[in-house]
């Protein structure tokens, strides 16, 4: 089936870490008809996962600007691990800053999850993490600091 790129259609950009194998297939399966995804990846980072997450976060602005002058309807930063140290307010602030820089709605995936959980009136979470204990703890701190009761981690 061919995708028609005639208006009206929506363009969404997703930016993710180089080794991430799941974002693109999940988005292709989840996006509704009439939305087209444009994927890019953060620059390759050296070091352990903590250092790479810091490098990814430091590259957000450049990656968002990398889509210029393509007209986009939204940009999603797909890397929750890089946002956990920001906390809820920092995550919201960086999303707003990136949106202003891009001139289009831009949000981190962790902040988008918060928005969805709030819309669903979710009060508690169970976290299942494939990550090292230290990153799982950062995740738990992020979500509990965002006002959610953690039933299980």
């Amino acid at each position: 089936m061919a995708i028609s790129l005639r208006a009206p259609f929506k363009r969404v950009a997703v930016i993710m870490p180089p080794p991430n194998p799941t974002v693109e297939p999940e988005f292709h399966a989840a996006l509704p008809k009439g939305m087209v995804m444009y994927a890019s990846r953060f620059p390759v980072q050296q070091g352990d996962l903590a250092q790479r997450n810091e490098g990814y976060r430091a590259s957000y602005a450049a990656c968002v600007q990398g889509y210029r002058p393509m007209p986009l309807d939204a940009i999603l930063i797909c890397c929750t691990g890089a946002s956990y140290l920001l906390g809820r307010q920092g995550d919201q602030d960086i999303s707003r800053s990136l949106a202003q820089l891009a001139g289009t709605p831009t949000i981190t995936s962790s902040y988008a999850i918060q928005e969805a959980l709030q819309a669903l009136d979710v009060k508690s979470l169970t976290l299942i993490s494939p990550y090292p204990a230290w990153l799982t703890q950062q995740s738990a701190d992020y979500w509990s600091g965002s006002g959610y009761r953690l039933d299980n981690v």
Side-chain angles (χ1 to χ4, degrees):
M1 171 170 74
I3 296 175
S4 171
L5 294 183
R6 293 187 203 153
F9 69 94
K10 301 290 184 184
R11 293 178 178 179
V12 60
V14 297
I15 306 169
M16 70 206 86
N20 186 300
T22 60
V23 171
E24 289 153 311
E26 288 175 353
F27 267 78
H28 282 296
L31 285 177
K33 185 177 180 179
M35 292 191 79
V36 179
M37 178 185 75
Y38 297 89
S40 66
R41 296 187 181 271
F42 299 125
V44 172
Q45 302 294 319
Q46 300 303 313
D48 63 18
L49 182 55
Q51 293 166 318
R52 292 192 312 270
N53 278 341
E54 288 178 28
Y56 297 149
R57 193 172 52 251
S59 70
Y60 284 2
C63 290
V64 164
Q65 290 178 311
Y67 279 102
R68 287 186 175 172
M70 178 188 283
L72 295 168
D73 295 288
I75 300 173
L76 180 61
I77 307 292
C78 299
C79 185
T80 55
S83 294
Y84 291 146
L85 287 178
L86 298 174
R88 177 183 173 84
Q89 188 61 53
D91 211 4
Q92 181 181 32
D93 291 346
I94 202 166
S95 292
R96 287 182 177 162
S97 173
L98 291 169
Q100 186 173 28
L101 179 67
T104 196
T106 303
I107 192 166
T108 65
S109 53
S110 49
Y111 198 71
I113 292 167
Q114 284 194 51
E115 296 266 312
L117 293 173
Q118 186 175 4
L120 295 168
D121 199 31
V122 172
K123 304 292 184 207
S124 65
L125 301 171
T126 293
L127 298 180
I128 300 171
S129 172
Y131 299 114
W134 63 266
L135 186 53
T136 299
Q137 186 58 55
Q138 285 181 9
S139 173
D141 293 345
Y142 177 92
W143 294 110
S144 64
S146 296
Y148 296 98
R149 184 182 72 247
L150 299 181
D151 294 333
N152 260 318
V153 178

